[in-house]
Every structure is written in structure tokens, then in C-alpha cells.
């Protein structure tokens, strides 16, 4: 009976597969693993918040600031800001970059590689800002922790950079999914806000990661969503005009939030003054309205239930919005997604009260406008309409909410973008009008690493060779000959092997390039020679393209190995090869 042999697993082969654009099975495996890792990290972060709540919050609820004495809850922001000022501001500016903006920056300019120091800082700063009573969320820290953990896994395995990009998206999706128990919204958020592109090769591993992140959270917290949403419906079509007006109002709020959070007047103040402003303003508002502190999910649930008074709703809309924006503008790294949802829900609840007073015939259930406001604010601030709609659908489990939700999200998003001239909160626009991640050329080239395109048929040789040595070089049938300046040097020029073969055939031409010592000078062989610069084996084609432009060369030799003196050359990649790949795609 013949034996069945299982295919052997090779990490080097796994890396080589990942370098190409069609490595879907391998990326799906990474998606599952990264989803489990990120889900565990997110559960750990939530448990840290709950542990802090058990230490000093009423009933162990880390959101129950209302149950604290006014003096104590007002002192919490002062303590939190002091800790952040003492322990975070003593570190270099690069180590103070945290949250979703840091994730997008590392994906854009650092191929999805994350510094360990920032990841460690995110743990304690995330806990300090939420438990310290600042207007801050947990989703931003969760996304940073999850994306960096997933990317760190890829870095330890020395995977190519194109797969690190997918791992960052997987960590982002799993972080959102594990926070809200909304796996679809997690996927859309990762692709729409962080990756800024939609591809099948990107979607499938991200879907798996988001699913595993949600499952990890369900094992600990059950299957209920993070936000308890009542069952509602549109009712009369007469509500549509008021929905448009409400969405216009929320779009203006979103524009105000983005403008204040980017205020140069605030960011230009001395650090001590900025930190003091945040601490004192939060403490003053918290003395009277503790609802503005922390994430605010308890206030969000109350808004959806229609049980908050008008003054509390106003405090959430005005004070929480300004406190969150001023905290961001002051440089304190906080999560903004939770507070944005709370502000949007409160604005929608206020619109519901005004609409019921002006038009009693509308007659919608409590929470309907609060729910729409929550999605409209999220969509407008992030400029992520699909993510907001998917979150709305998954939280309500009600497809009837989609029609009014689409109207509200689109109107609020257009208002923030066109009337307030605001791009997404996490997007920095270049002079060409597009974020680097949105540029089609960079998107296409970032999906593939250099091993998928590089030419592996080459030989290296010193500049001067004998005829026999030249023929020996050609016996290997290489495509390129890499010319070394001197023995032991890195190659600086590449010559097509066909040009040397042609010179060897033409005796007259060969005599002209042969020295008195019967040595052939490869720099004199008629043919095209390409200037070269090094690039690492893990690099993407977008990195290679940028390297070619930075060094003003037409070819790169691909190195592998960690130690500088022990690096070896595994291939050559030319500008023409990159251009051919892009034109074929």
C-alpha cells in the first residue's frame, strides 16, 4: 500500500509565496492567526479597564463617574494629565505618537512596522485617559495595539512588507470587531479608513481576522453588542425632511470637531499650558456633568433609550465635543471613536426632541434619531460612510434602518466635506489632493514584494576578467552581470549578459576593449549599463520605486540577511520590470 506524503512546510517558501499578489491562502492563514492575537490583546485591554474600575469606581463600573463625589471625579483628569505629562512628555516626540493616526502613518511611511516603545506606551496611556476621566475612547488604543501586535508577528517571521500591510488591516478590523462585536463594520473600517482601498486579496484575510477577533471577545463577554440598541423603524416618510435637517446639523458639528482638533492656536501653546487647559476644562465640566467623562457608553445607551434630560444632552453635544477636540489639539493621544458616537447620539436625541415639539405628527420611537445621529457623526468625522452604515446595521440588527441611515450618513458627510472643508479626521491631504495610500500607483505596487518581480538569473564579477572567465560567466546563462568596483564590494553597475556574449563573438570589437594584460574591461563592453543601489528582500514594489527615484538609478540589487557583513544578493529589479508589472495589472 503506497504511503501518503504530506507536503513539507518551509518558512522560506511561505515568505516567497507571500511576496506575490495572489498569495490568498497564505494571507488567510495570517488573517486567522492575527485575529486571534488581536482579539486576545483587545480582551486584555478591556480587562485592564475593568480592573481599574474595580479599584475605585462605584459598582466596579469604569464608566460610572456619576457615582463619584464631585471633588473626586474633578480630580481624576488632573491626575491623569499629570501622569501623561510626566511620563509621556519626557520621551521623544516619535514615542508619543499613538492611536489610529499612528497606525496610518506607520502603514504609509514605514511599511506597517511599529516601534515597541509606542506599543507599550499605548497600554498605559489608553488606560489612564479612560479611567482618568478624560473624554476618550478605547477603540483608538485597541486598533493601535491590535495592528502593532499583528504586524509584530509578521516582523518576527520576517515576512515581506506587502503582507505586513495586510496584517495591519487584520489587526485593525479585529480590534474594532472585538470592541463592538461588529465584525462587518470592523472589516469596512479597516479597508475604508486605514488601508483606503478594496481588494479581494485584502478583504478575505481581513474578514477572517475580524471574525476571530469577535469570537475571542464573545468567549469572554458573550454575544451581545457593546451598545444596547432598541428596535426602531422609520414610520412615516414625513420624517425624511427632518432627517436631512438633523444630518446637516450633525455634519456641521463634525466639521467643528475636526477644525478645533486641528487648531494651530492650541497646538502652538506651551506644553504645560496645553495640558493644564485640558485638565482644568475637563475637571470644571465634570463637576457638574460627569456624563462627559470617559468613553460615555452609559450616556449613549441612555440617549438611545430617550432617558436623558435636555441639559445633559446639551452638555454631551457641546462640552464633550469641545473637550475631546481640545484634548486632541493639545497633543494628548486619545481614542476619538467612542466620544464621537456619544456626541452624535446626543445630537440626534436633541433633534428628536425639537422635531417632536415642532412636528408632533412625526411620531417615531425614542432612540431613532439618536441612532441615526450616532452613524451620521461617525461617517462625517471619519469620512467613512460604509463603516458607519455597517456599524448601524450590525448594532440594530434591523435592515429597515438602512434607508434613513444612508440618507443621514451621506448628508452629514457631504456637509462636513463641502461646507466645512474637512477631510476625514485621520487623513492628511497632500498637495496633489490625495493621501499617499489613496494614490493608485502606490496602492498597486504596495500589494507585491520585490521577490515576485526580481530577476534571479545573474552572476557577480569584478570589472576586469579574462576571456575564459567571461565565457565561464556566460555558461551559467545569466540575464544580468553585476559588476563589482573591486573585490568584496557591492555591485554598482549591471550589464546585460547578452551584450557581453555579443562582444565575445565580435573579435574586432573585443580587441578594442581588451587591455595589454589580455583582460576585458566590462565597463567598456558596448551595451547598456545600469547604475544600482541596494534594497531589502522584504521591500514592496512601492518601496523599490521610491528607492529608484531617491537614488536616481535604474536598477536595484536585492539583499537578504540581517548582519551587514553577511548580506547576500538574491536578485536584481529594474525600473522597467516595475513598470511592466504595473502596466499588466
Amino acid at each position: 500500500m503506497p504511503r501518503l506524503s504530506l507536503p513539507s512546510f518551509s518558512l522560506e517558501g511561505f515568505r516567497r509565496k507571500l511576496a506575490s499578489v495572489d498569495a490568498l491562502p497564505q494571507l488567510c492563514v495570517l488573517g486567522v492567526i492575527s485575529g486571534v492575537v488581536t482579539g486576545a490583546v483587545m480582551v486584555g485591554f478591556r480587562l485592564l479597564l475593568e480592573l481599574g474600575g474595580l479599584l475605585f469606581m462605584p459598582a466596579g463600573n469604569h464608566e460610572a463617574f456619576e457615582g463619584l463625589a464631585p471633588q473626586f471625579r474633578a480630580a481624576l483628569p488632573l491626575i491623569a494629565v499629570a501622569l501623561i505629562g510626566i511620563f509621556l512628555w519626557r520621551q521623544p516626540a516619535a514615542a508619543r505618537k499613538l492611536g489610529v493616526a499612528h497606525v496610518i502613518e506607520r502603514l504609509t511611511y514605514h511599511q506597517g512596522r511599529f516601534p515597541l516603545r509606542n506599543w507599550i506606551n499605548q497600554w498605559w496611556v489608553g488606560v489612564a485617559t479612560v479611567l482618568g476621566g478624560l473624554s476618550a475612547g478605547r477603540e483608538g488604543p485597541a486598533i493601535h495595539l491590535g495592528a502593532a501586535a499583528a504586524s509584530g508577528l509578521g516582523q518576527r517571521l520576517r515576512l515581506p512588507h506587502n503582507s505586513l500591510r495586510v496584517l495591519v488591516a487584520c489587526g485593525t478590523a479585529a480590534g474594532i470587531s472585538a470592541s463592538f462585536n461588529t465584525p462587518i463594520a470592523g472589516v469596512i473600517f479597516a479597508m475604508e479608513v486605514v488601508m483606503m482601498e478594496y481588494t479581494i486579496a485584502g478583504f478575505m484575510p481581513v474578514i477572517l481576522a475580524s471574525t476571530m477577533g469577535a469570537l475571542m471577545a464573545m468567549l469572554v463577554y458573550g454575544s451581545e453588542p457593546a451598545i444596547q440598541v432598541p428596535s426602531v423603524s422609520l414610520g412615516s416618510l414625513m420624517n425624511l425632511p427632518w432627517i436631512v435637517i438633523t444630518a446637516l446639523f450633525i455634519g456641521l458639528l463634525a466639521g467643528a470637531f475636526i477644525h478645533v482638533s486641528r487648531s494651530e492656536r492650541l497646538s502652538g501653546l506651551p506644553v504645560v499650558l496645553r495640558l493644564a487647559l485640558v485638565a482644568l476644562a475637563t475637571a470644571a465640566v465634570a463637576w457638574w456633568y460627569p456624563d462627559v467623562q470617559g468613553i460615555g457608553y452609559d450616556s449613549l445607551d441612555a440617549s438611545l433609550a430617550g432617558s436623558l434630560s435636555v441639559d445633559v444632552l446639551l452638555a454631551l453635544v457641546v462640552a464633550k465635543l469641545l473637550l475631546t477636540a481640545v484634548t486632541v489639539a493639545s497633543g494628548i493621544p486619545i481614542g476619538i471613536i467612542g466620544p464621537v458616537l456619544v456626541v452624535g447620539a446626543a445630537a440626534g436625541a436633541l433633534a428628536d426632541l425639537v422635531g417632536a415639539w415642532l412636528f408632533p405628527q412625526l411620531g417615531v420611537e425614542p432612540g431613532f434619531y439618536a441612532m441615526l445621529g450616532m452613524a451620521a457623526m461617525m461617517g462625517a468625522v471619519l469620512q467613512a460612510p460604509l463603516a458607519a452604515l455597517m456599524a448601524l446595521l450590525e448594532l440594530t440588527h434591523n435592515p429597515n434602518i438602512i434607508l434613513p441611515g444612508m440618507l443621514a450618513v451621506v448628508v452629514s458627510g457631504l456637509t462636513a466635506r463641502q461646507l466645512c472643508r474637512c477631510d476625514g479626521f485621520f487623513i492628511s491631504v497632500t498637495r496633489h489632493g490625495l493621501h499617499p495610500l489613496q494614490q493608485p500607483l502606490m496602492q498597486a505596487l504596495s500589494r507585491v514584494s520585490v521577490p515576485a518581480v526580481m530577476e534571479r538569473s545573474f552572476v557577480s564579477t569584478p570589472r576586469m576578467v579574462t576571456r575564459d572567465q567571461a565565457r565561464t560567466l556566460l555558461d551559467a546563462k545569466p540575464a544580468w552581470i553585476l559588476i563589482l568596483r573591486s573585490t568584496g564590494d557591492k555591485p554598482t553597475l549591471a550589464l546585460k549578459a547578452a551584450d557581453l556574449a555579443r562582444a565575445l563573438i565580435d573579435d574586432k570589437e573585443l580587441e578594442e576593449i581588451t587591455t595589454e594584460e589580455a583582460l576585458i574591461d566590462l565597463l567598456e563592453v558596448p551595451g547598456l549599463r545600469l547604475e544600482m543601489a541596494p534594497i531589502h528582500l522584504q521591500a514592496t514594489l512601492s518601496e523599490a520605486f521610491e528607492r529608484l527615484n531617491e537614488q536616481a538609478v535604474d536598477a536595484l540589487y536585492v539583499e537578504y540577511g540581517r548582519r551587514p557583513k553577511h548580506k547576500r544578493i538574491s536578485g536584481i529589479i529594474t525600473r522597467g520590470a516595475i513598470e511592466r508589472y504595473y502596466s499588466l495589472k
Side-chain angles (χ1 to χ4, degrees):
M1 184 176 176
R3 287 187 177 182
L4 292 176
S5 59
L6 296 176
S8 60
F9 175 79
S10 164
L11 184 56
E12 190 59 41
F14 189 69
R15 294 192 191 108
R16 184 172 293 185
K17 285 283 188 181
L18 283 171
S20 65
V21 73
D22 58 350
L24 198 52
Q26 291 78 15
L27 289 174
C28 286
V29 171
L30 291 178
V32 171
I33 297 171
S34 62
V36 171
V37 171
T38 300
V41 168
M42 182 61 201
V43 168
F45 184 69
R46 290 177 67 173
L47 290 175
L48 273 180
L49 292 176
E50 292 173 4
L51 177 61
L54 288 172
L55 292 177
F56 63 89
M57 298 293 279
N61 181 4
H62 65 274
E63 289 272 64
F65 293 96
E66 296 85 351
L68 297 173
Q71 300 90 334
F72 186 47
R73 66 180 181 235
L76 284 176
L78 303 177
I79 298 170
V81 171
L83 289 173
I84 292 171
I86 292 171
F87 294 105
L88 189 63
W89 250 263
R90 288 186 175 182
Q91 300 183 39
R96 301 198 296 266
K97 295 180 178 180
L98 309 174
V100 181
H102 178 62
V103 172
I104 295 175
E105 179 191 350
R106 300 303 298 187
L107 187 65
T108 307
Y109 302 109
H110 302 277
Q111 296 76 51
R113 302 168 71 93
F114 289 82
L116 180 60
R117 187 195 306 202
N118 298 61
W119 190 72
I120 294 172
N121 283 336
Q122 183 64 90
W123 281 97
W124 71 266
V125 171
V127 171
T129 53
V130 174
L131 292 180
L134 299 179
S135 182
R138 73 185 181 203
E139 291 73 30
I143 290 169
H144 179 185
L145 294 173
S151 174
L153 175 67
Q155 289 176 239
R156 289 294 300 271
L157 295 175
R158 289 184 288 142
L159 301 182
H161 290 169
N162 64 321
S163 57
L164 291 188
R165 290 171 49 82
V166 177
L167 283 172
V168 170
C170 289
T172 299
I176 289 288
S177 177
S179 181
F180 290 111
N181 194 15
T182 53
I184 300 178
V187 172
I188 301 299
F189 181 91
M191 305 305 290
E192 193 172 27
V193 177
V194 177
M195 295 289 284
M196 302 185 199
E197 64 171 335
Y198 298 97
T199 62
I200 293 177
F203 257 122
M204 289 190 180
V206 173
I207 289 172
L208 289 171
S210 188
T211 302
M212 298 309 297
L215 288 174
M216 293 296 291
M218 287 179 190
L219 290 175
V220 180
Y221 297 103
S223 58
E224 291 298 318
I227 302 168
Q228 301 302 316
V229 177
S231 177
V232 295
S233 61
L234 173 62
S236 171
L237 292 178
M238 296 296 293
N239 282 290
L240 293 179
W242 191 245
I243 290 173
V244 172
I245 295 172
T246 300
L248 279 168
F249 169 59
I250 291 174
L252 293 174
L253 286 177
F257 173 79
I258 293 175
H259 280 300
V260 174
S261 65
R262 293 178 178 174
S263 171
E264 294 182 358
R265 290 185 178 181
L266 287 172
S267 60
L269 294 174
V271 173
V272 175
L273 192 56
R274 278 185 276 146
L275 297 181
L277 175 64
V278 171
L280 294 174
T282 306
V285 177
W287 185 283
W288 305 105
Y289 292 101
D291 311 77
V292 302
Q293 293 187 282
I295 308 172
Y297 283 159
D298 53 346
S299 300
L300 177 57
D301 289 336
S303 297
L304 294 171
S307 59
L308 289 181
S309 60
V310 175
D311 62 322
V312 173
L313 290 174
L314 284 170
L316 290 173
V317 172
V318 178
K320 190 170 183 67
L321 182 145
L322 290 177
L323 286 174
T324 308
V326 168
T327 304
V328 171
S330 298
I332 298 177
I334 60 170
I336 61 110
I337 297 175
V340 159
L341 293 176
V342 174
V343 171
L350 273 178
D352 188 11
L353 294 175
V354 174
W357 177 60
L358 294 175
F359 311 105
Q361 67 274 20
L362 293 180
V364 296
E365 297 96 330
F368 176 76
Y369 279 93
M371 203 176 306
L372 293 182
M374 179 178 66
M377 191 71 175
M378 176 181 173
V381 169
L382 303 180
Q383 286 296 303
L386 281 178
L389 284 172
M390 287 301 101
L392 182 64
L393 178 62
E394 286 188 288
L395 289 170
T396 60
H397 300 288
N398 182 2
N400 296 324
I401 198 71
I402 288 298
L403 174 61
M406 291 170 67
L407 183 61
V409 167
V410 169
V411 171
S412 66
L414 282 174
T415 302
R417 192 176 189 87
Q418 300 300 321
L419 294 184
C420 302
R421 302 294 179 187
C422 293
D423 301 291
F425 181 83
F426 299 114
I427 296 178
S428 58
V429 178
T430 67
R431 58 190 176 129
H432 301 293
L434 288 175
H435 187 277
L437 291 178
Q438 295 173 314
Q439 296 171 10
L441 174 62
M442 290 299 106
Q443 285 182 347
L445 298 183
S446 295
R447 297 179 196 133
V448 182
S449 286
V450 292
V453 179
M454 71 182 183
E455 176 61 66
R456 301 173 188 273
S457 176
F458 69 94
V459 290
S460 299
T461 180
R463 170 182 172 178
M464 310 299 293
V465 295
T466 64
R467 293 191 186 198
D468 289 341
Q469 288 172 334
R471 292 190 181 95
T472 303
L473 291 174
L474 295 175
D475 286 343
K477 297 182 179 179
W480 291 92
I481 296 175
L482 307 189
I483 304 173
L484 310 175
R485 292 288 187 187
S486 60
T487 304
D489 281 353
K490 296 297 184 183
T492 55
L493 290 172
L495 171 70
K496 281 201 168 185
D499 292 330
L500 177 58
R502 191 181 303 112
L504 289 175
I505 293 172
D506 190 338
D507 289 333
K508 183 178 179 181
E509 191 175 80
L510 188 63
E511 290 297 330
E512 294 177 357
I513 61 174
T514 303
T515 66
E516 294 180 0
E517 292 80 12
L519 294 175
I520 301 172
D521 187 350
L522 295 181
L523 293 187
E524 298 298 327
V525 172
L528 178 65
R529 272 167 292 276
L530 304 181
E531 293 281 347
M532 304 182 73
I535 194 164
H536 198 272
L537 183 67
Q538 293 174 272
T540 62
L541 291 190
S542 63
E543 292 176 75
F545 187 72
E546 291 174 354
R547 181 83 171 154
L548 288 168
N549 292 332
E550 289 171 1
Q551 299 294 319
V553 296
D554 288 310
L556 302 168
Y557 59 90
V558 183
E559 295 182 315
Y560 69 95
R562 293 189 174 185
R563 298 178 181 178
K565 293 184 179 180
H566 295 83
K567 287 185 177 180
R568 296 184 179 181
I569 300 173
S570 59
I572 176 175
I573 184 165
T574 64
R575 187 183 297 272
I578 296 176
E579 291 172 351
R580 283 193 298 274
Y581 167 81
Y582 181 69
S583 63
L584 290 174
K585 295 302 175 182

